[in-house]
Amino acid sequence: MATVISFVNNKGGVGKTTLACIIAQALGIIGHKVLAIDNDGQHNLSTMLGLTPSEPNIGNLYSLKASQMPKIDAILEDMTLQTTLTNVHCITAPDSLCDADVTNERILAEVIQKSYAATHYDYIIIDNHPGISALQRASLHAAEYVFVPTELQQLAVNGLSVMYRLLTENFSFNRENIKIIPNKYRNVQRQEAFLTALKKMFPKSVTTAIPVDSILDIIVTEEKILLLDRYMSSKAVPYIIKMMTEIFTFKEKKLSGDLLVERNKHLAENARNRVQSRSSQ
Ligand SMILES: Nc1ncnc2c1ncn2[C@@H]1O[C@H](COP(=O)(O)OP(=O)(O)O)[C@@H](O)[C@H]1O
Ligand SMILES: [Mg+2]
């Protein structure tokens, strides 16, 4: 059965989309089948995965009628696109998603449960826009895990308590299934203090912090894949790997080893393609 993960935070700019993309790609690179669902009208996840939003898309799911449910496999297949990574598929989001009339907040959960997606994919990763509106609630009803990237600032830390209460009380998430990922970490005393406070406030939930690293921003412009194209040059990569081993219980050496093998294959293929295109000129 697919493990469904929803990325949420009331705040924007904390790294929800960046980490959703990197984790989806990492899981795909090591051989898992991944469906990335862009549940944000800004469609940054679709863009980061190299896709332009197309029709049909996630918006069509929210206007689904009960009579269409028997055809759910065909509908889902129609809206699912292939990314540059064979194992990573994506459902894109339209600009108009914020106007979606979500009459049934459980629709995403129902679609996943009643379609081939539940068994075909190992992981389903849902990215959300900031806040908790009907769209995010729909993704939370579908999810077994919630990942909450956060920055280490006073206001962000205050907001997390509200979010945590909502997740545990209104959505009955297990504390172990809520993962708070400190992001854009700078090794300064103030942030270190916030990190210690976070770990105290949410025992079992806080992962290794991901350092601030401009390469995470640059790869978007370059249309590169962090764990294939910038594995060695990004100082965030070892921390991302450590964070993933804490969350998914992969062994750290095995995960970094498997990623490295695929990265080497990818770079070798790029080099071959460059030689071929030069010789055909
Ligand atoms: N660890 C990091 N170091 C440096 N920049 C980061 C890091 N994580 C995210 N960013 C950048 O911060 C910006 C906001 O990230 P994004 O993932 O879009 O946030 P959200 O989806 O929460 O709004 C992007 O420009 C992204 O490249
Ligand atoms: Mg985002």
Side-chain angles (χ1 to χ4, degrees), residues 69-83:
M69 227 29 180
K71 288 179 260 166
I72 194 60
D73 279 346
I75 293 171
L76 198 70
E77 200 170 338
D78 234 19
M79 58 181 65
T80 302
L81 305 183
Q82 169 78 60
T83 74

Side-chain angles (χ1 to χ4, degrees), residues 37-47 52-54 56-59 79 90-97 127:
I37 301 182
D38 195 342
N39 197 32
D40 177 357
Q42 297 175 85
H43 46 75
N44 292 339
L45 181 64
S46 312
T47 309
T52 310
S54 66
N57 51 51
I58 185 78
M79 58 181 65
C90 178
I91 296 180
T92 63
D95 293 330
S96 59
L97 190 65
D127 184 35

Side-chain angles (χ1 to χ4, degrees), residues 11-18 183-184 210-214 216-217:
K11 275 178 73 75
V14 293
K16 291 183 293 298
T17 308
T18 304
N183 188 26
K184 303 190 183 181
I210 312 302
V212 69
D213 177 3
S214 58
L216 266 55
D217 205 18

